[in-house]
């Protein structure tokens, strides 16, 4: 305890501290002193109070705020006077009035908090519109990463770029400075202006490099001039000699010169833009003329196209019975049993030089309708141009080609992603006996060959190459790589066979080496190990001998792993996964045994999960805590081997469509029990089984990231899971012989990992409030506005539109597709309910999600708007701004309240009549929805662009549509279920007895 009563606990600076920390703190406050003259100042996290006292020397008034009551009491006793006071409060809940201070100082505070956005939003609240904000924080790269130092008081440190980006979201003008204590000679020009330069024996660099601390000055107004500076203690032991002169004032004339040069550059660009603008206007006129010609052609085709559709419908009905009968034959077990004979027949045909015969997998009436000879009606039908396809937009930032390595800081996420980990990549005695000396999993991987055109084999590793897991440096690097790309843990396969443990060396190395710095758990691969890699009863290499005694011995062996601080635990219980629950006798009794045994070890129990394999799905059958999806066991797809070009004739395996797998996975309804979702990469065991392999073709990194994102949303929003149960899995980190691996390869490089991090960055723990925001139980207003934001560039228009009706205080609900967008919205609309959603179903799925939550709150009118970009159209921005300008007015709001029969109010220009042209690509989804919603005489008007006011009762039938009904985003400008629902907004409104009007 120091003489003034504050304990030096390491969390805050005290004036009696000396050395570099003294230089750092005093230098910052003395810089701030130049900025606060005659100002009302707030010092956040004022600590002992010495810095606030420095500021009070020039400021009109200073308020120091600190979370510690002891520090506040101490500071008031030691420093308080008329212009200086201290109060207790938090940086995320500052106890002073809004817009009440001119300057906010925050030194070394933000790294102590997890929710940075909330802190800066709160600072923005108390700061006057023309106020100044000065903040500093340690540079994570230099402060923590390079020295491998962990400050126990820091919750979330920032890299320089992240710090700059964060502050720039909230303030229009930002200046960055670097700070570090140096032993140096200072050379200062006298009576001259010069740039600042840092010299070392290796040469020179502009400005300061390797700064320990970042300092940012920010404001929505122009920033004051600031200077390079030094802080000197002439008698300090850190100073090799007395500095004879201070660094001169920074060159104002040089700044002015740069401003003039920039202005000249901007003028040149403006002149160039005028020329380009003329050219663009000319091109736009040409495109507009082409568009008019196409529209005229389409209108002339509408009547004949309708007749064609009618004839096709008649022929489809005529073929339906035949097709159904044929498909029943194909589905019959007797037909399936001829598969080997059909393949044998093709082998004979190949020998004889005949072409391969393709046998149908499924008959589809549309195939025959498309090929039907319409020559009898040829003169009556004008063919539609084959170039008329659905426009697409760029919808994913995931790169499909080779992706290079990028260094990333680790991130703490919820849900946490755990990757399956195979410890087989090293030689061991049993494999030498069974497969030959030196055999490892790599032996099979390198021998794999492609089996059809475009087949990605072999999978060749890069970065660590064909590594050996006996080398501990390999596992250390795997762990480092995993956490840097958003993977929170490894689920390691554990091979226990009645007391014999295979592949034990990597697991023990991991346990005993803390530098393998990643959490882990175990999956007991509790089936027989066979020569055919299928766990069956034939060709057994080493067998299981399941019994209660064996189970007890197995858990006893695992005890040191369970007790590791790195072992993954859920509510204190070690996580343990069983691969095949169906083959363990007395499974329920075994679970009781393990839980009792774990309590003996000092745990509150064991959290036991069953993998959904070999038909076993429900964890409640034996008393598991939860289930875990285990694709490919749990996926749904049809065999597409017959579609592959140049398929090996002796291929007797199966080929499935990865794209179809993803579609079925994201559309699956949630189970009643707890099941952790698992995302799979391009599963392909050709390396093990050759021409008898199972392959998931048409893999893409985009589809993988969409599946992962859907699973993350599914877990984060499912209240069946406790906070520590919010986990999900990926198959796998390194299943190279099964073609599913996050580790980089020659084709995609680090693309698998980059796609993973792009998803997990949206689920950092500091954004938990966005995942499951608290919706109100009662409406605060007669009006609500539901906004969906995907394109950041559209937010300005949305915010300005909402601001125009702020005097009527509508309740605002905003869905966003990234945590970055969520921070932006909270900056501008702090009272809005903001929710992070998967980028699926455009603005329609998020709208249904929010509408479902607020439908019963009693709003008189709700406005649906979104950041519509329509990037495939030249007038996309104009469409958006016109709609927002028409809708967000007091006139519209009053009209919805005063006109009881009005159910939907949309911009007049957007109300379109249904016709064959705008229904051309919606023929699949629309009829299904019409039938489900019970709509009759549904043709009429619909609000193109999906922005409108509506009465909740008018659209309530739409809540029958499940949110899982929506496909992953494919960038289609039409033809999706979202577009089909858009076409039916007006129809549903009319069916509910309301009318539609334009504004």
């Amino acid at each position: 305890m120091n003489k003034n009563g504050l304990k030096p606990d390491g969390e805050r600076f005290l004036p009696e501290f000396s050395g570099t920390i003294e230089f750092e703190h005093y230098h910052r406050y003395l810089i701030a002193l130049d900025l606060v003259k005659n100002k009302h100042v707030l010092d956040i996290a004022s600590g002992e109070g010495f810095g606030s006292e420095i500021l009070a020397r020039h400021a009109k008034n200073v308020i120091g705020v600190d979370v510690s009551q002891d520090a506040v009491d101490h500071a008031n006793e030691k420093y308080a006077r008329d212009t200086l006071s201290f109060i207790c409060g938090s940086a995320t809940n500052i106890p002073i009035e809004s817009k009440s201070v001119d300057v906010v100082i925050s030194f070394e505070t933000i790294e102590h908090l997890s929710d940075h956005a909330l802190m800066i939003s709160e600072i923005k609240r108390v700061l006057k519109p023309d106020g100044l904000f000065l903040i500093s924080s340690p540079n994570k790269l230099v402060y923590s990463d390079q020295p491998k130092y962990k400050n126990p008081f820091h919750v979330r440190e920032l890299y320089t770029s992240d710090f700059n980006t964060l502050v720039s979201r909230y303030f229009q003008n930002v200046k960055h400075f670097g700070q570090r204590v140096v032993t140096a000679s200072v050379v200062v020009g006298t009576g001259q202006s010069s740039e600042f330069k840092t010299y070392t024996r290796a040469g020179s660099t502009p400005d300061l490099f390797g700064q320990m601390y970042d300092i940012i000055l920010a404001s929505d107004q122009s920033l004051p001039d600031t200077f390079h500076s030094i802080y000197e203690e002439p008698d300090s032991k850190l100073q090799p000699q007395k500095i004879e002169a201070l660094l001169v004032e920074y060159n104002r004339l040089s700044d002015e010169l740069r401003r003039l040069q920039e202005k000249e550059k901007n003028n040149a660009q403006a002149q160039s833009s005028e020329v380009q603008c003329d050219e663009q206007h000319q091109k736009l006129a040409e495109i507009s003329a082409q568009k008019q010609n196409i529209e005229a052609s389409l209108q002339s085709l509408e009547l004949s196209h309708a007749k064609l559709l009618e004839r096709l419908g008649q022929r489809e009905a005529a073929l339906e019975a035949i097709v159904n009968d044929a498909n029943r034959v194909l589905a019959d077990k007797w037909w399936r049993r001829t598969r080997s004979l059909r393949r044998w027949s093709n082998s004979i045909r190949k020998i004889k030089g005949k072409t391969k015969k393709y046998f149908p997998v499924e008959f589809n009436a549309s195939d025959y309708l498309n090929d039907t000879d319409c020559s009898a009606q040829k003169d009556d039908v004008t063919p539609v141009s084959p170039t008329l396809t659905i426009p697409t937009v760029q919808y994913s930032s995931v790169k499909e080609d080779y992706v290079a390595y990028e260094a990333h800081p680790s991130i703490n996420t919820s849900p946490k992603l755990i990757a399956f980990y195979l410890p087989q990549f090293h030689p061991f005695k049993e494999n030498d006996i069974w497969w030959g000396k030196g055999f490892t999993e790599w032996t099979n991987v390198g021998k794999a060959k492609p089996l059809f055109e475009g087949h990605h084999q072999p999978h060749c590793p890069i970065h660590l190459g064909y590594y050996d897991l006996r080398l501990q440096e390999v596992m250390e690097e795997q762990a480092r790589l995993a956490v840097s790309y958003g993977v929170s843990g490894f689920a390691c396969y554990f091979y226990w066979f009645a007391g014999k443990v295979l592949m034990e060396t990597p697991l023990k190395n991991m346990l005993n080496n803390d530098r393998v710095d990643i959490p882990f758990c175990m999956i007991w691969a509790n089936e027989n190990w066979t020569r055919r890699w299928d766990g069956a009863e034939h060709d057994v290499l080493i067998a299981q001998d399941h019994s209660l005694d064996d189970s007890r011995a197995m858990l006893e062996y695992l005890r040191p792993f369970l007790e590791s601080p790195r072992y993954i635990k859920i509510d204190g219980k070690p996580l343990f996964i069983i691969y095949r629950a169906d083959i363990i006798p007395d499974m329920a009794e075994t679970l009781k045994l393990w839980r009792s045994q774990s309590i003996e070890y000092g745990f509150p129990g064991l959290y036991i999960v069953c993998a959904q394999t070999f038909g076993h799905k429900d964890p409640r059958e034996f008393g598991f805590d939860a289930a875990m999806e285990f694709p490919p066991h749990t996926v749904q797809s049809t065999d597409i081997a017959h579609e592959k070009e140049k398929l090996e004739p002796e291929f007797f395996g199966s080929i499935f469509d990865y794209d179809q797998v993803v579609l079925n996975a994201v559309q699956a309804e949630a189970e009643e029990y707890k099941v952790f979702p698992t995302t799979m990469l391009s599963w392909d065991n050709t390396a093990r089984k050759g021409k008898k392999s199972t392959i998931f073709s048409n893999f893409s990194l985009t589809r993988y990231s969409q599946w992962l994102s859907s699973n993350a949303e599914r877990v984060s929003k499912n209240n069946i899971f406790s906070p520590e149960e919010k986990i999900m899995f990926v198959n796998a980190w390194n299943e190279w012989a099964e073609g599913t691996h996050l580790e980089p390869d020659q084709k995609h490089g680090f693309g698998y990992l980059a796609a993973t991090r792009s998803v997990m960055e949206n689920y950092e723990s500091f954004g938990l409030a966005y995942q499951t925001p608290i919706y109100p139980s009662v409406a605060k207003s007669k009006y609500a506005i539901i906004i969906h934001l995907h394109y950041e560039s559209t937010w300005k228009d949305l915010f300005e539109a909402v601001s125009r009706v702020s005097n009527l205080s509508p309740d605002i609900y905003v869905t966003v597709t990234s945590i970055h967008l969520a921070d932006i919205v909270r900056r501008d609309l702090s009272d809005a309910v903001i929710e992070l959603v998967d980028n699926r179903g455009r603005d329609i799925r998020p709208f249904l999600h929010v509408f479902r939550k607020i439908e019963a709150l009693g709003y008189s009118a709700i406005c649906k708007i979104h950041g519509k970009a329509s990037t495939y159209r030249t007038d996309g921005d104009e469409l958006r701004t016109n709609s927002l300008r028409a809708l967000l007015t007091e006139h519209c709001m009053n009209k919805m309240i005063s006109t009881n029969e009005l159910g939907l109010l949309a911009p007049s220009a957007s109300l379109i009549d249904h016709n064959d042209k705008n229904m051309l690509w919606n023929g699949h989804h629309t009829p299904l929805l019409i039938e489900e919603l019970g709509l009759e005489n549904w043709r009429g008007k619909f609000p193109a662009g999906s922005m409108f006011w509506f009465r909740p009762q008018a659209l309530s039938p739409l809540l029958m549509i499940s949110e899982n009904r929506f496909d992953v985003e494919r960038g289609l400008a039409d033809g999706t279920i979202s577009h089909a629902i858009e076409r039916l907004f007006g129809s549903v409104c009319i069916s509910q007895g309301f009318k539609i009007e334009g504004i």
Side-chain angles (χ1 to χ4, degrees):
M1 187 78 69
N2 72 356
K3 63 181 181 180
N4 295 312
L6 273 187
K7 179 182 179 182
D9 57 6
E11 186 172 9
R12 59 177 54 85
F13 173 79
L14 300 178
E16 53 266 34
F17 291 172
S18 60
T20 60
I21 190 173
E22 174 191 13
F23 281 43
E24 293 160 353
H25 281 72
Y26 276 97
H27 194 178
R28 286 192 288 264
Y29 272 109
L30 290 169
I31 289 174
L33 186 63
D34 288 338
L35 303 172
V36 301
K37 187 173 182 179
N38 296 325
K39 304 285 188 183
H40 295 284
V41 180
L42 169 65
D43 186 14
I44 285 289
S46 52
E48 190 270 349
F50 80 98
S52 301
E53 191 278 328
I54 292 174
L55 299 175
R57 297 172 191 174
H58 287 177
K60 180 179 291 186
N61 169 265
V62 177
I63 300 174
V65 174
D66 198 273
V67 74
S68 167
Q69 187 63 57
D70 288 343
V72 169
D73 293 342
H74 163 85
N76 275 320
E77 181 178 351
K78 184 175 180 180
Y79 298 113
R81 53 180 183 268
D82 291 343
T83 59
L84 175 60
S85 61
F86 298 88
I87 57 177
C88 193
S90 165
T92 57
N93 188 18
I94 303 172
I96 65 174
E97 295 181 0
S98 299
K99 301 179 181 179
S100 59
V101 294
D102 301 301
V103 182
V104 174
I105 306 296
S106 173
F107 292 147
E108 311 309 298
T109 308
I110 197 167
E111 66 274 9
H112 293 265
L113 303 173
S114 61
D115 196 337
H116 295 169
L118 181 58
M119 171 182 165
I120 298 186
S121 295
E122 184 67 354
I123 287 171
K124 185 85 171 180
R125 178 186 68 81
V126 303
L127 195 61
K128 293 179 180 178
D130 60 347
L132 199 63
F133 178 36
L134 185 63
I135 182 172
S136 72
S137 185
N139 172 11
K140 188 174 187 297
L141 178 66
V142 177
Y143 186 90
S144 296
D145 291 357
Q146 292 176 352
K148 300 188 184 305
Y149 168 67
K150 174 65 176 176
N151 188 314
F153 299 105
H154 290 183
V155 175
R156 183 176 166 226
E157 295 173 353
L158 289 163
Y159 294 94
T160 299
S161 60
D162 295 334
F163 192 28
N164 265 312
T165 300
L166 175 68
V167 179
S168 297
R169 291 180 197 166
Y170 294 84
F171 293 90
Q172 297 179 17
N173 300 307
V174 169
K175 279 186 182 179
H176 171 265
F177 304 86
Q179 179 191 21
R180 67 183 173 96
V181 175
V182 298
T183 300
S185 165
V186 179
V187 177
V188 180
T190 303
Q192 64 183 31
S193 301
S194 60
E195 295 286 345
F196 187 88
K197 185 175 287 189
T198 301
Y199 292 91
T200 67
R201 293 180 183 179
S204 65
T205 60
D207 299 321
L208 180 70
F209 67 92
Q211 73 272 10
M212 178 73 76
Y213 295 92
D214 294 310
I215 303 173
I216 292 179
L217 180 65
S219 178
D220 287 334
Q221 304 299 318
S222 59
L223 295 173
D225 290 329
T226 49
F227 316 110
H228 296 309
S229 64
I230 63 171
Y231 173 80
E232 181 185 15
E233 288 287 348
D235 298 324
S236 171
K237 294 179 181 179
L238 289 175
Q239 200 68 34
Q241 62 184 35
K242 185 174 181 180
I243 299 174
E244 301 297 336
L246 297 176
L247 190 63
V248 295
E249 178 181 321
Y250 192 66
N251 187 352
R252 296 176 184 268
L253 292 176
S254 180
D255 280 345
E256 182 64 26
L257 177 61
R258 279 195 296 272
R259 283 194 291 271
L260 290 172
Q261 290 172 338
E262 185 67 26
K263 184 175 181 181
E264 182 180 0
K265 179 180 177 182
N266 290 339
N267 289 337
Q269 290 176 345
Q271 293 173 359
S272 174
S273 297
E274 289 178 3
V275 175
Q276 293 175 0
C277 189
D278 291 340
E279 294 175 353
Q280 289 173 357
H281 281 309
Q282 183 177 354
K283 290 182 180 178
L284 186 59
E286 294 173 358
I287 293 171
S288 178
Q290 293 173 6
K291 177 185 173 186
Q292 290 175 0
N293 291 334
I294 292 173
E295 288 179 345
S297 298
L298 283 172
Q299 289 173 358
S300 68
L301 292 175
E302 286 180 3
L303 181 59
S304 58
H305 180 246
K307 293 178 180 179
L308 177 60
L309 288 176
E310 182 179 358
R311 285 197 297 275
L312 288 176
Q314 293 169 351
R315 297 185 182 197
E316 183 176 18
L319 283 174
E320 196 66 35
I322 299 173
V323 167
N324 288 339
D325 289 341
N327 283 331
R328 277 194 288 271
V329 171
L330 293 179
D332 190 86
K333 65 180 179 180
W334 298 106
W335 171 256
R336 294 200 305 271
R337 289 178 181 178
T338 67
R339 185 178 186 182
S340 58
L341 293 174
R342 284 180 270 134
R343 287 178 172 165
W344 175 80
S345 172
N346 270 329
S347 299
I348 299 300
R349 292 177 68 86
K350 183 178 181 181
I351 294 171
K352 292 182 178 181
K354 295 183 179 181
T355 58
K356 181 178 178 181
K357 184 181 292 185
Y358 289 93
F359 298 94
V361 176
E362 181 182 17
F363 291 103
N364 192 320
S366 61
D367 295 338
Y368 297 90
L369 285 169
N370 290 337
D371 294 333
T372 299
D373 182 10
C374 296
S375 57
Q377 306 290 337
K378 180 185 280 187
D379 295 337
D380 299 329
V381 178
T382 304
V384 177
S385 170
T387 60
L388 291 176
T389 57
I390 303 177
T392 58
V393 297
Q394 179 64 37
Y395 63 94
S396 172
S397 60
V398 174
K399 297 179 181 178
E400 293 294 343
D401 51 2
Y402 185 92
V403 178
Y405 168 77
E406 287 188 41
H408 296 288
S410 61
I411 51 178
N412 183 26
T413 67
S414 177
K416 295 189 180 300
L417 180 64
I418 302 171
F420 299 165
Y421 183 94
L422 181 68
Q424 193 174 176
F425 297 94
H426 68 292
F428 55 94
K429 181 178 67 175
E430 290 78 10
N431 262 354
D432 287 348
I433 297 171
W434 296 329
W435 303 99
K437 183 67 174 175
F439 175 90
T440 73
E441 193 80 344
W442 294 124
T443 308
N444 285 329
V445 172
K447 294 189 300 184
K449 298 182 183 303
L451 300 175
F452 53 86
E453 190 172 298
H455 184 200
H456 172 36
Q457 283 292 355
H459 287 230
C460 301
I462 60 172
H463 188 60
L464 290 172
Y466 295 93
Y467 51 75
D468 186 334
L469 288 180
R470 293 175 300 180
L471 301 175
Q472 297 195 34
E473 292 84 357
V474 170
M475 297 188 76
E476 292 173 12
E477 175 62 11
Q478 286 176 321
R480 188 201 65 77
L481 192 64
V483 298
S484 72
Y485 277 96
V487 177
S488 295
F490 287 154
C492 302
Y493 289 113
F494 170 59
Y495 294 88
W496 166 279
F497 299 89
K500 177 69 175 178
V501 180
L502 300 184
M503 292 168 277
E504 183 179 38
T505 299
L507 298 182
K508 285 206 165 182
N509 286 345
M510 177 181 64
L511 174 65
N512 296 322
N513 183 0
D514 290 340
R515 291 192 298 275
V516 184
D517 192 11
I518 189 170
F520 63 88
C521 64
M522 296 294 180
I523 303 177
W524 183 18
N526 63 308
E527 63 179 5
N528 296 333
W529 208 5
T530 70
R531 191 169 293 278
R532 299 188 184 186
W533 307 96
D534 59 6
E537 298 299 325
H538 43 69
D539 289 340
V540 175
L541 299 175
I542 184 170
Q544 294 288 347
D545 184 15
H546 292 295
S547 68
L548 289 176
D549 288 341
D550 181 64
S551 295
R552 179 184 293 276
M554 185 272 299
L555 198 66
E556 179 63 30
Y557 174 88
L558 285 177
R559 181 175 181 177
F561 293 89
L562 306 181
E563 291 175 340
S564 169
R566 283 175 289 142
Y567 196 91
I568 298 170
K569 299 175 179 68
I570 295 177
D571 298 322
K573 303 174 184 178
L575 173 62
F576 185 53
I577 303 167
I578 307 299
Y579 176 64
R580 290 196 64 174
D582 62 312
I583 62 174
I584 298 180
D586 302 319
M587 186 72 257
E589 289 300 316
T590 302
L591 297 182
K592 292 179 183 178
L593 168 70
W594 282 337
R595 289 186 173 114
S596 175
Q597 196 174 350
S598 64
I599 291 173
E600 293 174 8
Y601 297 160
F603 300 110
L606 194 65
Y607 196 100
I608 315 174
V609 174
C610 62
Q612 292 182 321
T613 58
F614 300 94
H616 180 258
K617 287 193 170 184
D618 194 335
R620 298 170 297 186
E621 180 181 353
F622 298 115
F624 285 91
D625 291 288
M628 176 190 73
E629 292 177 349
F630 204 104
H633 285 271
T634 47
V635 302
Q636 298 178 15
S637 181
T638 54
D639 196 317
I640 59 170
H642 62 284
E643 298 178 1
K644 294 302 177 183
E645 297 291 332
K646 299 181 181 180
L647 179 66
E648 285 289 327
E650 294 82 14
F651 180 76
F652 290 97
S654 299
I655 303 176
F656 299 104
D657 185 3
Y658 186 88
D659 192 285
Q660 187 182 49
V661 166
V662 174
L663 170 61
N664 289 329
V666 302
Q667 290 185 332
E669 294 293 337
E671 301 286 358
E672 296 178 354
Y673 48 80
K674 293 179 182 178
V675 55
F676 301 123
T678 301
T679 311
M680 178 185 76
L681 291 112
S682 57
W683 208 91
D684 176 357
N685 62 0
T686 299
R688 286 181 177 170
K689 293 198 171 185
K691 295 177 183 179
K692 296 181 180 179
S693 57
T694 299
I695 302 166
F696 287 81
S697 186
N698 304 327
F699 170 80
S700 72
L701 293 172
T702 297
R703 293 290 174 262
Y704 158 69
S705 69
Q706 290 173 323
W707 188 0
L708 181 65
S709 180
S710 173
N711 283 345
E713 182 192 65
R714 191 173 293 233
V715 173
S716 69
K717 296 187 185 301
N718 194 337
N719 293 329
I720 196 173
F721 297 120
S722 70
E724 291 197 11
E725 288 177 315
K726 298 209 169 182
I727 59 174
M728 57 184 185
F729 295 85
V730 59
N731 188 7
W733 176 258
N734 61 342
E735 279 280 14
W736 286 91
E738 292 181 344
T740 179
H741 50 86
L742 287 170
E743 288 185 311
D745 68 5
Q746 287 183 357
K747 180 176 182 180
H748 289 294
F750 290 79
Y752 308 103
L753 289 165
T756 301
R757 183 175 174 100
S758 72
V759 172
M760 300 313 297
E761 283 178 330
N762 270 337
Y763 289 88
E764 290 195 66
S765 297
F766 69 83
L768 277 172
Y770 299 137
Q771 295 179 19
T772 54
I774 299 174
Y775 280 76
S777 56
V778 294
K780 298 178 182 177
S781 170
K782 294 181 292 186
Y783 309 101
I785 301 176
I786 299 176
I787 307 171
H788 179 65
L789 177 64
H790 176 66
Y791 297 102
E792 182 178 351
S793 60
T794 66
W795 175 243
K796 180 181 178 183
D797 290 340
L798 291 166
F799 177 59
E800 288 178 353
V802 171
S803 299
R804 288 196 293 270
V805 295
S806 60
N807 59 308
L808 295 179
S809 303
D811 291 344
I812 300 175
Y813 304 88
V814 188
T815 54
V816 295
T817 55
S818 75
I819 201 168
H820 167 66
L821 293 175
D823 283 343
I824 290 174
V825 174
R826 185 159 64 178
R827 175 195 68 193
D828 295 334
L829 295 175
S830 58
D831 292 332
V833 175
I834 307 167
E835 183 163 7
L836 176 70
V837 296
D838 191 19
N839 182 26
R840 184 152 60 102
R842 301 292 172 88
D843 56 292
I844 303 298
R845 180 175 179 265
F847 163 69
L848 293 178
H849 176 77
V850 175
F851 185 26
R852 186 170 281 111
K853 289 179 176 290
I854 69 172
E855 187 248 351
L857 298 186
Y859 289 109
S860 299
I862 302 175
C863 185
K864 177 194 176 301
I865 58 175
H866 62 104
K868 182 177 177 63
S870 299
T871 55
Y872 60 94
R873 299 181 55 147
T874 58
D875 59 349
D877 290 342
E878 183 180 354
L879 290 174
R880 177 182 67 254
T881 54
N882 287 345
S883 293
L884 293 173
R885 193 176 297 115
L887 288 171
L888 274 300
T889 66
E890 291 188 33
H891 173 68
C892 285
M893 299 168 82
N894 292 332
K895 187 175 183 66
M896 287 298 301
I897 295 294
S898 61
T899 312
N900 293 331
E901 66 274 16
L902 182 58
L904 189 148
L905 181 65
S908 298
S910 74
L911 283 177
I912 308 247
D913 288 316
H914 292 114
N915 56 46
D916 290 339
K917 176 183 172 183
N918 55 49
M919 296 301 296
L920 179 62
W921 289 301
N922 292 282
H924 172 64
H925 296 292
T926 307
L928 295 175
L929 290 171
I930 289 170
E931 182 177 355
E932 291 173 23
L933 298 172
L935 300 177
E936 298 178 359
N937 302 318
W938 60 274
R939 283 185 177 267
K941 293 184 181 294
F942 71 93
S946 300
M947 290 201 270
F948 49 82
W949 281 96
F950 71 98
R951 200 173 298 279
Q953 305 93 308
L955 297 186
S956 59
L958 292 174
L959 299 180
M960 297 167 53
I961 302 172
S962 169
E963 293 171 35
N964 293 325
R965 182 88 170 263
F966 294 80
D967 190 4
V968 294
E969 178 59 57
R970 299 179 186 274
L972 296 173
D974 204 349
T976 70
I977 190 172
S978 297
H979 295 96
I981 292 172
E982 176 197 55
R983 301 303 194 271
L984 297 177
F985 277 131
S987 308
V988 172
C989 176
I990 297 296
S991 74
Q992 291 293 97
F994 295 94
K995 68 177 185 178
I996 304 170
E997 287 189 11
I999 188 72

